[in-house]
C-alpha cells in the first residue's frame, strides 16, 4: 500500500479536547456573573459552533473509516458541513471584532460584505467542486485524490481580513486586550503549522478555539466582588439592557444604608455576609449589584421566581430581624421591571429619586406614580441644567414670588421674603420642595439665587423709584453656596448693578449642623455684614440649635419657624419656652420674626412673645413680586 491514505494520522483527541474545553467554558459562564452584551451572545454562539465543528470532524473520520463499498457520499456531505461550521466561526469572529471596535456603519458595511462574500464563495465552491468531482475526492480504496483545496484559500482570505481589521482599528480597543488577541492567534498559527508538519489534522478546530478562550478571559470573565458577591453599576446596566431587549421581566430590591454611603466607608463584615446570604436565599438566579458603598440592588428574573409575592413577607420579616441586630438606618425599595425605566436604563437614578421622599427605616413598594414622578424629576433636572448653562439672570422660567412681612414697630408692610418658583413650559408652576433639593444636589442652586436676587433688586429699585417705603427684602441662600469663594462678590455685583443700597437686601441662611460649615458660614456672614447686607437666621427651632454658635454669628433677625408658633399654642410649658427664647434673643439685640402666622390667635400670642416681625398666610400668601406694591406704602413726602 504505497499510496498515502486520507489522513491516516487523524486521532480524535484534538476534537475531544475542544469539546471538553467548550463545556468547561459553558460551566464557568453559567456560574459566574457575565455582562450580558451583544458580544456575549456572539461568544456563546462561537462556543456552540466549536462543539459542532469538532463533532463534524470526528463524524466524518468515523464515516470514512467505516466505508467498505467505496461509496464516500456521506463523508463528502459531512466534510462540507464541517467546513461551513468552521467558516461560520471565522465570520462570527469578524462580527465580534467589529462590534468590539464600535465601527461606524460606513466602515462596518464593506467589511461585512467582504466577509460574507468570502464565506459564500468558499461554501458554494466547496459544494460545487465536491459534487462535480473536481474538489476533494477519494478513490475506491480510500486514497485521497486532491483537487482544488478551497478550504485553504478561504482560510487565508479570512485571516487577511481579520488581520486588517485588527491592525487598522487597533486603537479602538484597549491595547492590552488587543495584545491578548494577537497572542492567542499567534499560538493558533503555531499549532496549525506544527500539525501540518506532522501530516495531522486533529488540531484544526483547536486552533479556532484559542481566540475564543482569549475572549472568555479578556472580555467575559467574572466581575464579582469577591467579598460580597456583588457586581458594579455598569454590569447592572448591561443586565438591564439585555433583559429589556429580550423582553424579560425582573424583580429588584434595593437596600440603601445612608450612614455608609460615603467615600471610603466599608460595610462591616457581618453585614456583608448577611447581604450575601439575602442575595441568594430568597430568589433564584439573583444578581447583587454594588451601586455605591452604602447601596446595593438585587435583581432577579421574574419567570424563575413566580412566588415572589409570597416571599416578600418572609424577606421583610427576616430583614426586620436583621435590623434589630444591626440597628443601622436604612431605606428599602422593592419593585418589578418597568418598561420605560428599563428602556432608559435608569434604575439607579429612579431609585435615588424615591429615596429623596422616603422616611428613614421604611420599606417602599414601587408603583406607577413613581414613574410619572421620575419623569417629572428628569424634566425639572433638564430645565435646571439649561437654566444653569444659560446663566441668564433674566431667565423667565425662574419666578420671583414674595411674601410681605408685617413690621410691628412701624405697623406697616415694609419688608418681604423673596420665594422662588419655576414656571416650566411642559408642566407649569413648580414649587420649591420639588426643585430646590435637585438644584442643590447638582450644584445649580447658586445660579437660581443669583436670578432671584437680580429680580428682587429690580423690584426694589422700581418700588424705591416709585416712592414706596422699602425697608428691605430677604433672599434665601443655601448653605452649600457659601462654600463658593466667589459667593460674596457675586452677590455684591448683582446688587451694585441694580444701583440699590446694600442694606435693602437681606440674606436668609438656615443653621447647619456641620462643623466645617460653621466656620464657612461665619466668614461669609461677616463678609456680607461688612457690606451692609442684613442677615436672617432661617427656620430657627427646626434643627438642633446650638445657641452658643448662633450667638457667635452676627445675625440681625432670628426667624422662628412655624413649628414654634404651633408649639406655643399646645401647652403652657412650651409657650413659656418659646417666649423665653424669644425674650432672650431680643434682649441680645436680635429681632424676632415669627413665620407661619395663620390666624388671630397666632398673631396675638406672638406679639406677646417679643415679636418684631410677623409673616404668614394671615397677612398674605406668597404673591408675584410685582404685586408687592399692593402691600407697601407710598411715602407722602416723596410723592410728586
Ligand atoms: P422658608 O424659607 O421657610 O419659606 C417659608 C415657606 O413657608 C414658604 O414656602 C411659604 O410659602 C410658607 N409659608 C408662608 N406663610 C405660611 C403660613 O402661614 N403657614 C404655612 N404652613 N406656611 C407658610 P415655599 O415658598 O413653598 O418655600 C419653601 C421653602 O423652599 C422655603 O422655606 C425655603 O427653604 C425654600 N426656598 C424658597 N425659595 C427659595 C430660594 O429662592 N432659594 C432657596 N435656597 N430656597 C428657597
Ligand atoms: Ca426663608
Ligand atoms: Ca423659614
Amino acid at each position: 500500500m504505497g499510496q498515502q491514505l486520507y489522513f491516516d494520522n487523524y486521532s480524535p483527541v484534538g476534537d475531544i479536547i475542544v469539546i471538553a474545553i467548550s463545556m468547561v467554558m459553558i460551566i464557568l459562564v453559567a456560574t459566574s456573573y457575565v455582562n450580558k452584551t451583544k458580544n456575549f451572545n456572539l461568544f456563546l454562539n462561537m462556543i456552540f459552533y466549536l462543539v459542532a465543528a469538532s463533532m463534524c470532524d470526528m463524524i466524518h473520520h468515523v464515516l470514512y473509516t467505516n466505508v467498505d463499498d467505496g461509496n464516500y457520499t456521506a463523508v463528502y456531505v459531512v466534510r462540507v458541513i464541517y467546513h461551513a461550521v468552521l467558516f461560520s466561526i471565522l465570520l462570527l469572529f469578524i462580527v465580534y471584532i467589529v462590534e468590539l471596535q464600535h465601527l461606524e456603519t460606513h466602515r462596518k458595511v464593506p467589511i461585512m460584505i467582504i466577509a460574507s462574500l468570502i464565506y459564500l464563495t468558499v461554501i458554494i465552491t466547496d459544494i460545487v467542486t465536491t459534487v462535480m468531482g473536481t474538489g476533494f475526492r477519494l478513490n475506491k480504496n480510500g486514497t485521497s485524490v486532491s483537487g482544488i483545496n478551497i478550504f485553504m484559500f478561504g482560510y487565508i482570505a479570512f485571516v487577511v481580513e481579520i488581520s486588517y481589521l485588527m491592525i487598522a482599528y487597533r486603537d479602538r480597543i484597549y491595547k492590552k486586550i488587543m495584545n491578548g488577541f494577537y497572542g492567542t492567534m499567534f499560538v493558533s498559527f503555531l499549532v496549525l503549522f506544527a500539525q501540518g508538519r506532522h501530516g495531522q489534522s486533529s488540531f484544526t478546530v483547536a486552533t479556532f478555539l484559542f481566540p475564543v478562550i482569549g475572549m472568555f478571559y479578556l472580555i467575559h470573565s467574572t466581575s464579582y466582588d469577591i467579598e460580597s458577591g456583588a457586581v458594579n453599576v455598569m454590569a447592572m446596566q448591561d443586565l438591564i439592557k439585555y433583559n429589556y431587549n429580550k423582553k424579560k421581566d425582573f424583580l429588584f430590591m434595593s437596600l440603601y444604608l445612608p450612614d455608609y454611603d460615603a467615600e471610603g466607608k466599608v460595610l462591616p463584615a457581618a453585614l456583608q455576609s448577611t447581604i450575601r446570604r439575602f442575595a441568594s436565599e430568597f430568589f433564584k438566579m439573583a444578581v447583587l449589584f454594588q451601586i455605591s458603598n452604602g447601596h446595593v440592588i438585587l435583581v432577579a428574573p421574574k419567570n424563575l421566581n413566580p412566588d415572589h409575592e409570597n416571599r416578600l413577607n418572609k424577606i421583610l420579616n427576616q430583614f426586620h430581624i436583621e435590623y434589630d441586630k444591626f440597628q443601622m438606618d436604612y431605606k428599602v425599595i422593592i419593585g418589578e421591571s418597568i418598561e420605560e425605566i428599563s428602556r432608559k436604563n435608569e434604575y439607579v437614578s429612579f431609585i435615588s429619586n424615591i429615596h429623596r421622599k422616603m422616611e428613614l427605616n421604611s420599606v417602599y413598594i414601587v408603583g406607577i406614580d413613581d414613574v410619572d414622578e421620575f419623569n417629572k424629576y428628569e424634566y425639572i433636572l433638564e430645565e435646571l441644567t439649561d437654566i444653569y448653562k444659560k446663566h441668564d439672570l433674566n431667565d423667565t422660567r425662574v419666578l420671583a414670588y414674595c411674601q410681605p412681612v408685617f413690621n410691628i414697630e412701624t405697623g406697616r408692610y415694609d419688608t418681604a421674603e423673596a420665594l422662588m418658583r419655576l414656571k416650566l413650559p411642559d408642566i407649569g408652576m413648580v414649587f420649591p420642595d420639588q426643585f430646590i433639593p435637585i438644584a442643590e444636589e447638582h450644584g445649580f442652586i447658586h445660579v437660581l439665587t443669583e436670578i432671584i436676587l437680580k429680580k428682587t433688586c429690580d423690584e426694589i429699585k422700581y418700588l424705591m423709584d416709585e416712592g414706596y417705603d422699602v425697608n428691605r427684602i430677604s433672599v434665601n441662600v443655601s448653605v452649600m453656596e457659601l462654600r463658593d469663594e466667589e459667593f460674596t462678590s457675586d452677590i455684591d455685583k448683582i446688587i451694585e448693578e441694580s444701583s440699590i443700597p446694600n442694606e435693602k437686601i437681606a440674606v436668609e441662611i438656615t443653621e447647619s449642623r456641620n462643623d466645617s460649615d460653621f466656620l464657612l458660614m461665619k466668614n461669609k456672614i461677616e463678609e456680607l455684614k461688612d457690606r451692609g447686607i442684613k442677615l436672617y437666621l432661617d427656620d430657627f427651632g427646626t434643627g438642633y440649635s446650638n445657641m452658643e454658635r448662633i450667638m457667635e454669628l452676627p445675625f440681625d433677625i432670628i426667624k422662628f419657624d412655624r413649628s414654634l408658633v404651633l408649639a406655643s399654642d399646645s401647652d403652657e410649658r412650651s409657650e413659656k419656652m418659646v417666649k423665653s427664647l424669644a425674650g432672650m434673643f431680643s434682649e441680645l439685640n436680635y429681632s424676632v420674626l415669627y413665620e407661619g402666622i395663620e390666624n388671630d390667635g397666632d398673631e396675638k400670642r406672638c406679639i406677646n412673645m417679643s415679636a418684631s416681625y410677623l409673616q404668614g398666610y394671615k397677612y398674605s400668601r406668597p404673591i408675584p413680586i410685582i404685586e408687592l406694591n399692593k402691600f407697601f406704602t407710598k411715602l407722602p413726602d416723596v410723592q410728586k
Side-chain angles (χ1 to χ4, degrees):
M1 309 232 120
Q3 272 175 310
Q4 151 108 63
L5 279 181
Y6 166 51
F7 295 142
D8 53 351
N9 284 337
Y10 174 79
S11 135
V13 286
D15 290 318
I16 290 173
I17 285 288
V18 170
I19 295 174
I21 293 178
S22 300
M23 293 303 166
V24 169
M25 280 198 280
I26 289 171
I27 292 169
L28 293 179
V29 159
T31 51
S32 61
Y33 177 78
V34 179
N35 294 4
K36 299 284 193 310
T37 55
K38 191 173 172 189
N39 270 10
F40 178 67
N41 277 336
L42 290 169
F43 164 76
L44 282 185
N45 272 308
M46 278 189 257
I47 294 184
F48 168 76
Y49 280 101
L50 279 169
V51 173
S54 293
M55 301 278 226
C56 288
D57 196 21
M58 285 197 291
I59 291 169
H60 113 272
H61 279 97
V62 169
L63 287 174
Y64 164 73
T65 338
N66 289 328
V67 169
D68 40 26
D69 59 356
N71 180 357
Y72 287 101
T73 316
V75 177
Y76 295 151
V77 171
V78 178
R79 198 182 128 95
V80 167
I81 297 176
Y82 168 56
H83 285 170
V85 173
L86 279 183
F87 280 106
S88 300
I89 299 174
L90 292 175
L91 193 62
L92 283 173
F93 192 68
I94 291 191
V95 180
Y96 187 92
I97 297 288
V98 164
E99 279 298 318
L100 212 58
Q101 292 171 326
H102 294 291
L103 287 196
E104 302 81 355
T105 317
H106 72 275
R107 297 204 157 97
K108 192 152 79 177
V109 170
I111 283 173
M112 289 321 301
I113 290 177
I114 293 173
S116 310
L117 284 178
I118 300 174
Y119 182 80
L120 289 174
T121 314
V122 167
I123 305 295
I124 292 168
T125 320
D126 206 15
I127 294 171
V128 170
T129 55
T130 307
V131 171
M132 309 229 320
T134 51
F136 173 76
R137 221 165 352 122
L138 293 164
N139 280 339
K140 280 221 172 333
N141 57 8
T143 329
S144 90
V145 187
S146 259
I148 318 160
N149 192 349
I150 185 67
F151 178 84
M152 214 51 213
F153 287 117
Y155 185 79
I156 289 168
F158 262 121
V159 168
V160 169
E161 186 172 20
I162 291 171
S163 308
Y164 166 75
L165 247 184
M166 291 181 58
I167 292 166
Y169 302 112
R170 62 185 179 284
D171 295 339
R172 302 286 184 103
I173 302 176
Y174 181 54
K175 201 169 153 222
K176 283 192 170 166
I177 292 190
M178 216 56 210
N179 290 343
F181 276 116
Y182 296 142
T184 56
M185 287 169 81
F186 179 67
V187 174
S188 296
F189 290 129
L190 280 185
V191 171
L192 209 59
F193 176 72
Q195 76 162 1
R197 292 212 24 155
H198 293 276
Q200 267 279 0
S201 69
S202 310
F203 298 96
T204 306
V205 185
T207 63
F208 285 67
L209 171 72
F210 301 140
V212 177
I213 295 179
M215 284 169 196
F216 177 64
Y217 186 81
L218 295 168
I219 298 166
H220 305 293
S221 53
T222 175
S223 48
Y224 282 137
D225 177 331
I226 304 297
E227 294 283 307
S228 68
V231 279
N232 62 19
V233 188
M234 294 252 275
M236 172 157 150
Q237 288 179 341
D238 283 339
L239 179 70
I240 285 163
K241 195 165 160 196
Y242 178 83
N243 282 328
Y244 176 73
N245 289 333
K246 296 258 161 188
K247 301 215 176 337
K248 284 189 181 164
D249 286 334
F250 56 87
L251 312 163
F252 64 86
M253 205 173 163
S254 149
L255 170 65
Y256 178 59
L257 302 165
D259 293 344
Y260 287 91
D261 203 35
E263 200 80 32
K265 288 257 171 102
V266 185
L267 295 180
L271 184 64
Q272 281 209 4
S273 87
T274 307
I275 292 175
R276 194 164 52 219
R277 191 160 53 72
F278 253 77
S280 51
E281 200 168 286
F282 295 100
F283 293 109
K284 284 197 193 97
M285 296 297 286
V287 184
L288 187 69
F289 297 95
Q290 182 100 45
I291 306 305
S292 59
N293 290 336
H295 189 195
V296 290
I297 300 179
L298 190 66
V299 176
K302 195 176 165 188
N303 59 344
L304 295 180
N305 296 282
D307 53 343
H308 59 274
E309 276 169 29
N310 299 336
R311 293 196 190 187
L312 199 61
N313 283 329
K314 250 204 245 166
I315 297 172
L316 292 179
N317 281 339
Q318 188 60 38
F319 183 81
H320 287 118
I321 294 171
E322 296 296 340
Y323 174 68
D324 289 341
K325 213 167 16 179
F326 290 104
Q327 292 288 339
M328 46 185 75
D329 290 339
Y330 67 87
K331 291 181 182 180
V332 167
I333 297 177
I334 295 168
E336 283 184 26
S337 48
I338 301 161
E339 134 109 42
E340 191 175 343
I341 309 295
S342 293
R343 175 164 49 77
K344 296 195 259 180
N345 211 334
E346 284 182 336
Y347 282 92
V348 174
S349 46
F350 177 66
I351 287 171
S352 318
N353 194 49
I354 297 177
H355 284 159
R356 204 177 290 124
K357 68 177 170 199
M358 274 176 80
E359 303 263 321
L360 267 184
N361 305 326
S362 62
V363 175
Y364 187 91
I365 314 264
V366 172
I368 199 70
D369 289 352
D370 296 310
V371 181
D372 293 341
E373 242 167 61
F374 180 62
N375 285 335
K376 190 167 172 188
Y377 156 81
E378 286 210 304
Y379 176 67
I380 293 173
L381 179 57
E382 226 171 81
E383 290 286 323
L384 285 175
T385 311
D386 188 62
I387 291 169
Y388 172 77
K389 282 194 186 137
K390 296 222 166 88
H391 203 270
D392 169 13
L393 297 189
N394 295 311
D395 200 312
T396 51
R397 291 168 290 186
V398 183
L399 304 185
Y401 268 58
C402 79
Q403 196 174 25
V405 173
F406 187 72
N407 182 339
I408 294 177
E409 194 188 324
T410 59
R412 284 204 294 254
Y413 297 100
D414 55 12
T415 67
E417 175 183 10
L419 293 163
M420 191 173 349
R421 310 283 180 256
L422 292 183
K423 194 176 173 196
L424 303 179
D426 289 1
I427 52 174
M429 195 81 126
V430 188
F431 290 87
D433 57 319
Q434 295 196 35
F435 68 85
I436 300 278
I438 305 176
E440 287 182 341
E441 218 168 274
H442 291 86
F444 301 151
I445 188 72
H446 183 56
V447 177
L448 296 180
T449 300
E450 287 184 302
I451 297 172
I452 286 298
L453 178 62
K454 165 79 167 66
K455 296 190 174 186
T456 302
C457 288
D458 288 350
E459 176 65 15
I460 293 174
K461 175 91 174 89
Y462 163 82
L463 289 171
M464 287 174 71
D465 286 351
E466 290 292 306
Y468 285 91
D469 173 21
V470 185
N471 197 337
R472 75 187 89 85
I473 297 180
S474 58
V475 170
N476 291 283
V477 161
S478 296
V479 175
M480 59 189 52
E481 289 178 64
L482 305 180
R483 296 191 192 128
D484 189 347
E485 283 288 317
E486 313 278 290
F487 175 78
T488 311
S489 62
D490 286 348
I491 300 288
D492 231 14
K493 209 170 111 202
I494 293 169
I495 302 177
E496 202 187 309
E497 277 169 8
S498 357
S499 53
I500 59 164
N502 281 356
E503 62 269 15
K504 297 289 171 195
I505 289 292
V507 164
E508 297 194 6
I509 305 174
T510 305
E511 202 186 350
S512 162
R513 251 197 281 175
N514 193 310
D515 278 351
S516 59
D517 279 346
F518 174 77
L519 281 177
L520 249 168
M521 227 161 120
K522 193 168 145 83
N523 285 337
K524 288 293 189 299
I525 288 174
E526 277 159 4
E527 278 177 37
L528 293 170
K529 190 95 188 158
D530 287 345
R531 289 164 167 77
I533 295 168
K534 293 271 189 289
L535 286 139
Y536 293 15
L537 175 66
D538 203 357
D539 299 335
F540 176 74
T542 55
Y544 295 78
S545 293
N546 181 331
M547 293 306 255
E548 218 174 304
R549 288 199 156 174
I550 291 176
M551 304 296 179
E552 264 186 69
L553 302 172
F555 285 112
D556 299 282
I557 292 180
I558 309 294
K559 294 188 79 166
F560 275 44
D561 186 73
R562 170 160 170 78
S563 56
L564 292 182
V565 176
L566 285 175
S568 68
D569 194 26
S570 60
D571 59 81
E572 214 170 306
R573 262 175 69 89
S574 305
E575 186 182 350
K576 274 197 178 135
M577 184 202 73
V578 177
K579 187 172 181 170
S580 64
L581 272 174
M584 178 199 71
F585 276 119
S586 79
E587 260 169 46
L588 291 166
N589 282 327
Y590 294 98
S591 300
V592 173
L593 183 158
Y594 285 97
E595 280 192 280
I597 306 294
E598 293 189 354
N599 50 49
D600 295 345
D602 289 344
E603 181 184 72
K604 209 167 143 230
R605 251 179 301 119
C606 292
I607 290 176
N608 244 321
M609 300 190 294
S610 317
S612 297
Y613 298 94
L614 298 171
Q615 177 182 354
Y617 294 163
K618 177 177 189 298
Y619 311 102
S620 169
R621 298 231 161 209
I623 50 169
I625 201 161
I626 50 160
E627 292 174 19
L628 206 52
N629 56 3
K630 293 182 190 155
F631 287 86
F632 280 21
T633 338
K634 251 185 187 182
L635 292 172
D637 51 335
V638 190
Q639 247 170 348
K640 303 212 168 103

